[in-house]
Amino acid sequence: MIRVENLHKRFGEVRAVDGVSFTAADGLVTALLGPNGAGKTTTLRMLYTLMRPDEGRIFVDDVDAVADAQGARLRLGVLPDQSGLYPRLTAREHIAYFGELQGITGSDLRTRTEHLLKLLDMTEIADRRVAGFSHGERTKTALARAIVHRPKNVLLDEPTNGLDVMSTRAVREIIRRLKGEGHTVLFSSHVMQEVSALSDRIVVIARGTIVADGSPDDLRRQTGHENMEDAFVALSGLEVEANPS
Amino acid sequence: MAANTSSTVVQALVVCRKELKDWSRDRRSIITVLISSLLAPILVGVMFTNLASRQRQVEDVTIPVVGGANAPALMDWLRQQAGVTVVDGPSDPEEAVRSRREDVVVVIADDFSADLKSSRPAQVRIVADGSSQNTRPKVQRIRGLLQQYSGQIGALRLIARGVSPAVASTLQIEDVEVSSAQQRAAMLLGFIPLFILISAFTGGMPLATDSTAGERERGSIEALLVNPAPREAIAAGKWIAGTLTAMLSVVVSGGLLFALFQYIPLQDLGIRFHLGQRELIGTLIIVLPVCPLIVGIQMYVATFAKSFKEAQSYLSFLMMVQMVPGMIMMNSNVAKAWWMYYVPWVGAQTILTDMLGNKPISAAVFVVMGLVNVVLAIVAVRATAGLLLREKIIFGR
C-alpha cells in the first residue's frame, strides 16, 4: 500500500507538485493520469525516494519513505522514468544483477529469472547483449529486473510509452498478474485507453495538483462525459491550455 | 548491525563483479589498458636502444680513407687511437656520401707528404653530409682526431725551432659536455616512475568514467539507485572494480618494463642501473597502494560529468595536474624535502626514484604513505556516495 499526503516539490519558481494526496491500495491497479508536465514523474520520483519532497509525507506499507528511504526501497519495485540498460550485459545478466543486489542468490535467483523471462516472452533473447534490443525488449528487460525480488509495491513510470502492440500486451499482462497476486501497482500514463483498460482507480493530475480521484465509472459520472477521453480533457483543463508543458 | 555490514559488503562485491564484467567486454577499455601499459616500455626501449647504438657509433669509428698511402704516419697514428679502424675509401667519395653509402670519407691530397715535409699546411678533406643528424657525432669525432694530430705535429715543429707550443695557443678551449648520453639516459630513467604512475591513471579511467558518468549518460543510474543497497556499497563496489583495473594496468606495464630491461644494453651507456626482480617487486609495492586513491578521485570527479566524453576531458585535465609536481621535480633538481613523501602521487614518485636509484627506503615512510593514500581514498569514496544522493546528479542529464 502506498499513501501520499500533501506532497510538494518546487524547482525554482515552478511548483511541479503542489499538494498531492492519494492512496494506492493492495490488490488494486492505480493509475496516475495526466498530460505531459503535469507532475506525474516528479511525484513518482518522490515515491521511489530518489527525490526529496519539500513538504508532505509518503508511506510505503507504513514505512515513512522520507525518513527511512532505504526501508521504503526494500518494499518497492520500480520502473523509473529513465531506465537505461547496460549495453554490454545480456537480459539475463540484468535481471541477475538486480536480483543479487536485493540479496537473492543461487537457484532461487535462477528460478525467478527463468520465470520472468518466460512470463515476458523473452526466452529467446535472454542471452543476447541488450545493445541490439528494440525499445520493447528494453522495456521488458527493465521491467523484469525491477520486479525480480517480488516487491509488495510496484511503481511504473509510463510503462507502455512507445511500445508496439505485442510488448504493450506483455506489460499489461504483467500488471494484471501482479494485481492478481495482491501487489499494489501504481503506474503513470498520459494515454487514456491505457488507463481505462487497466486501472481500478484513476488519479488525475494536472499542473501539480489532483483534479480527480476515483474509479473509471466515478470519473465518467463526475464529469458527465460518457467517453473517458472527454472526461480526461475536461478534468485536466486541456481545453483552456493547449500546451501545458 | 553486523548483518547490515555484511550485506553491504556483499552488495559492494555484486556491484564490483558486474562492473568488471561490463569492463572486460568493452573493447575500448581493454585497448586503453594495453596501449597505456605498452606505451611506456616501448618508448623507453626505443630511446635507450637508440642512445646506446649512437654512443657505440661514436666510440667505435670506422674511417674510410682515400689516398691513405700519401700519409702513412697519419694512418699509423689513427690506427693507434682507441676504437678507430681505418679502411680504404670509395673511388668517388662525394658520390658515396651523397648516396648515403658512407657516412663520412676522409680524402688525403696527393701532395700531402710534400706539404708536410716543407711545413706547409697539408690538405685533408672530410667529405660529409652536414644535413644528416645521425652522422654528426661521427664527423665531429674524426675532425677532433685530425685536429689533435695537427696540434701534435705543430707543437713538435715549434719545439724544434725553440719556441714553446704555448705561444701558439691563444685560447685553451675545453668542452664540458652536460648532456652526455649517460645523463640523457639518467633523465629517461627518471621518467620510469612517472610512466608507471600514468599507467595506473589511464588503466583505471575507463571503468571510473563508465561506472559514473556513463551510468548517468545511459540513464541507468535511477534504476540502480532504487535498489535498497546503500550508496556506500554501490560507490565502494565501483571503486574496488576500478582499482583492480588500475592495478592490472600497473602490473602489465611494470612487467613489460622489467622484461624489456633484460634486453636493453644499459652497460654500453656506462649506466649502473638495474631493473631486476627486486626493483619490479619494489615498484609494484609502491605503486599499487596509490591505485585506490587515484581511482577514488577519478570516480568522484567523473560523477559530476553528464557524459563519458565530458568525464574524459575532466580526467585528462586531472592527470595533467597530477603530473605537474613530478615534472617539476624531475627537471629542476629540487631538493627532496621530508614532506614530499607524504603527498600522494608525489610521494610515490619520490620513493620510486629513491628505490630505482638504490637509495635506502625507510619502512616508516612507506607505511605512513600507504595510510595517507588509503584514508584519502576512503574520503573520496564517501564523497562519491554523497554525490549519489543529489537530485541534480541522479536526474540531471
Side-chain angles (χ1 to χ4, degrees), chain A residues 48 52 82 86 88 93, chain B residues 25 215 219 222 391 397:
Chain A
Y48 58 75
R52 232 185 135 75
Q82 304 281 347
Y86 306 104
R88 293 181 292 272
E93 283 164 346
Chain B
R25 289 180 189 173
E215 193 106 43
E222 256 188 87
E391 290 169 16
R397 280 231 283 176

Side-chain angles (χ1 to χ4, degrees), chain B residues 190-212:
Chain B
F191 273 108
I192 291 178
L194 197 62
F195 277 145
I196 294 176
L197 281 167
I198 288 173
S199 80
F201 203 99
T202 49
M205 202 154 104
L207 203 152
T209 47
D210 194 60
S211 67
T212 52

Side-chain angles (χ1 to χ4, degrees), chain A:
Chain A
M1 189 211 56
I2 293 168
R3 202 168 79 238
V4 175
E5 290 171 7
N6 193 28
L7 219 50
H8 287 263
K9 182 74 181 178
R10 203 176 294 115
F11 300 114
E13 286 301 299
V14 183
R15 292 159 184 270
V17 173
D18 198 10
V20 164
S21 306
F22 64 87
T23 306
D26 291 347
L28 290 182
V29 177
T30 307
L32 206 51
L33 176 68
N36 292 331
K40 301 187 299 287
T41 294
T42 306
T43 303
L44 285 177
R45 280 174 173 174
M46 288 188 278
L47 291 187
Y48 58 75
T49 73
L50 293 191
M51 206 171 251
R52 232 185 135 75
D54 295 332
E55 209 181 300
R57 311 217 297 163
I58 302 164
F59 293 95
V60 178
D61 290 346
D62 295 326
V63 173
D64 185 337
V66 180
D68 179 13
Q70 199 156 317
R73 285 203 290 270
L74 276 168
R75 292 164 172 78
L76 287 172
V78 182
L79 180 74
D81 173 41
Q82 304 281 347
S83 42
L85 305 175
Y86 306 104
R88 293 181 292 272
L89 298 190
T90 67
R92 191 191 300 278
E93 283 164 346
H94 275 87
I95 301 168
Y97 180 38
F98 276 51
E100 283 172 13
L101 281 176
Q102 297 280 357
I104 306 160
T105 51
S107 64
D108 187 18
L109 181 60
R110 274 194 298 279
T111 325
R112 288 186 193 214
T113 308
E114 218 41 65
H115 174 71
L116 278 169
L117 288 170
K118 219 167 279 163
L119 206 64
L120 284 160
D121 194 21
M122 293 174 68
T123 322
E124 267 172 54
I125 55 167
D127 295 305
R128 264 192 243 157
R129 294 192 187 181
V130 306
F133 276 18
S134 70
H135 183 61
E137 290 164 341
R138 286 168 176 276
T139 306
K140 287 200 272 186
T141 309
L143 185 59
R145 73 173 175 185
I147 57 176
V148 60
H149 55 296
R150 294 193 192 127
K152 189 81 212 329
N153 306 278
V154 180
L155 303 181
L156 311 166
D157 197 352
E158 308 252 0
T160 58
N161 201 8
L163 294 189
D164 62 18
V165 183
M166 289 312 288
S167 305
T168 305
R169 277 188 164 199
V171 171
R172 285 184 186 172
E173 180 54 35
I174 286 276
I175 291 178
R176 288 204 187 94
R177 193 177 269 264
L178 288 168
K179 173 191 165 182
E181 288 168 6
H183 296 265
T184 303
V185 181
L186 175 64
F187 78 101
S188 74
S189 178
H190 63 270
V191 184
M192 206 49 243
Q193 294 91 320
E194 190 66 45
V195 169
S196 47
L198 274 175
S199 34
D200 305 300
R201 180 142 181 231
I202 302 174
V203 178
V204 183
I205 183 169
R207 290 188 218 94
T209 53
I210 304 285
V211 292
D213 185 348
S215 70
D217 287 339
D218 287 343
L219 294 193
R220 284 192 196 100
R221 221 171 299 130
Q222 198 180 321
T223 56
H225 289 279
E226 203 38 49
N227 182 324
M228 268 306 290
E229 193 160 317
D230 293 338
F232 172 49
V233 170
L235 285 167
S236 57
L238 284 178
E239 294 159 321
V240 192
E241 197 176 345
N243 187 7
S245 64

